[in-house]
Amino acid sequence: MATATYFACLLLISSTLMGFSFSVIQAQSRPPIVNGLSWTFYQTTCPQLEAIIRSELQQVFATNIGQAAGLLRLQFHDCFVQGCDGSILLERGSERTEIPNRTLRPEAFQILENLRQIVHAQCGLVVSCSDILTIAARDSVVLSGGPDYEVPLGRRDGVTFAPVNQTLIDLIPATANVSTIISQFSRKNLNVTDVVALSGAHTIGISSCSSFTNRLYPTIDPTMDPAFAASLMQICPSLDSTNVAVLDVRSPNTFDNQYYANLFSRQGLLNSDQNIRRDARTLGYVTRFFTNQTFFFRMFVDSMVKMGQVDVLTGTQGEIRANCFRRNSDNLDLLSVAKENLGSSSTMR
């Protein structure tokens, strides 16, 4: 009886705070897209593009489904710093090695480059690394059990490195409060709905102990379920532990709405996660997503399409990289150095 009353109250709160019906959401058309992107961009130049990527990722995830979260996170980190231009992939810049990005999975980078090689072998140098990342992130959601959806394509790859320490400015720390999160999202033209929907990406994946041990030591965060805290202390026995924990204790490898159930059980892993359950500005969407997975999926899709268009390069801007890890000019520099070294060796002989 108590459980039924609890869920009834949640539904009432949701209806009151949201103020609109799901039928309105269903009636909405596809999200708008920026000039230069298209829903059919590669229809003639590489019509098999999306099929190639999905087929390859099915094989990757059959071996290690954890890589899905790694690819999804890679797109988030790329888009929030200097826009969705693939700059996160570049080896020569500082972005990839700065503190907020040091926990990105190395395998995710290599999967992206492997996909590029396969795509370019079949279609030629017509598909950007940033578009491949966008499709791979979408397929990571789909192949983990989440919604399938279209993504607009036509991005070009960036040719400039992100400024040093820009990641510290643009990426949201695990300790952030809701005001900080909303402010950071607003700078990318993303709203409160996007905050809560995109936070739901934490329904898959892992996080390093360093991202949440401040909630365990020296004292347990009172907003955390004590039993949950005790289980985390087994994984991370000290403040400087280097282990990892799953972000969603209920279904860590399945893309669903159980992340929001965790928040109502006080089992949000990160401070930034649990805080959106406690703030009046975000509670309504947290509640609705918890009680209606279909609604969450729809809003997540809209928010992902929006985020995937942040400061994109299109048309003649940027380039199509021949290697996701290097700008094309860097490849020419390396070729020039190799020729010089070869010439020197010939002279010495």
Side-chain angles (χ1 to χ4, degrees), residues 50-237:
E50 296 188 48
I52 293 170
I53 292 175
R54 182 161 300 188
S55 177
E56 291 298 322
L57 289 181
Q58 284 173 332
Q59 297 179 55
V60 171
F61 298 159
T63 302
N64 185 354
I65 188 60
Q67 297 304 330
L71 289 168
L72 184 56
R73 188 179 179 214
L74 198 56
Q75 192 194 20
F76 273 77
H77 281 232
D78 183 45
C79 290
F80 267 77
V81 180
Q82 198 170 272
C84 309
D85 65 347
S87 61
I88 185 69
L89 305 173
L90 294 172
E91 289 178 327
R92 285 194 174 185
S94 64
E95 181 179 351
R96 184 164 165 174
T97 58
E98 288 178 355
I99 291 174
N101 287 333
R102 290 177 187 171
T103 55
L104 292 172
R105 300 190 190 208
E107 300 92 339
F109 290 93
Q110 192 56 54
I111 290 169
L112 254 296
E113 172 57 15
N114 292 346
L115 289 173
R116 183 211 56 81
Q117 292 177 23
I118 295 167
V119 168
H120 284 184
Q122 296 200 36
C123 297
L125 192 66
V126 296
V127 182
S128 67
C129 294
S130 49
D131 269 349
I132 292 173
L133 176 55
T134 299
I135 297 169
R138 186 272 311 278
D139 285 357
S140 296
V141 171
V142 177
L143 297 175
S144 297
D148 201 349
Y149 57 98
E150 296 178 276
V151 289
L153 301 171
R155 295 164 191 77
R156 304 268 290 180
D157 297 320
V159 294
T160 59
F161 298 122
V164 175
N165 292 328
Q166 191 65 35
T167 59
L168 300 176
I169 297 172
D170 289 334
L171 294 176
I172 299 166
T175 56
N177 59 36
V178 173
S179 292
T180 297
I181 299 172
I182 290 175
S183 175
Q184 290 286 79
F185 269 62
S186 178
R187 292 177 57 221
K188 308 299 177 184
N189 293 316
L190 299 170
N191 58 32
V192 174
T193 310
D194 302 318
V195 166
V196 183
L198 293 176
S199 293
H202 283 178
T203 187
I204 57 175
I206 56 178
S207 182
S208 59
C209 289
S210 60
S211 297
F212 58 85
T213 47
N214 65 304
R215 302 186 69 200
L216 302 174
Y217 308 105
T219 58
I220 296 174
D221 183 341
T223 68
M224 181 180 284
D225 172 61
F228 182 54
S231 68
L232 292 176
M233 293 173 79
Q234 293 295 314
I235 299 170
C236 309

Side-chain angles (χ1 to χ4, degrees), residues 90 113 116 120 129 321-328 331:
L90 294 172
E113 172 57 15
R116 183 211 56 81
H120 284 184
C129 294
R321 287 188 205 137
N323 182 318
C324 287
F325 300 159
R326 304 184 188 96
R327 300 173 301 180
N328 291 339
N331 286 329

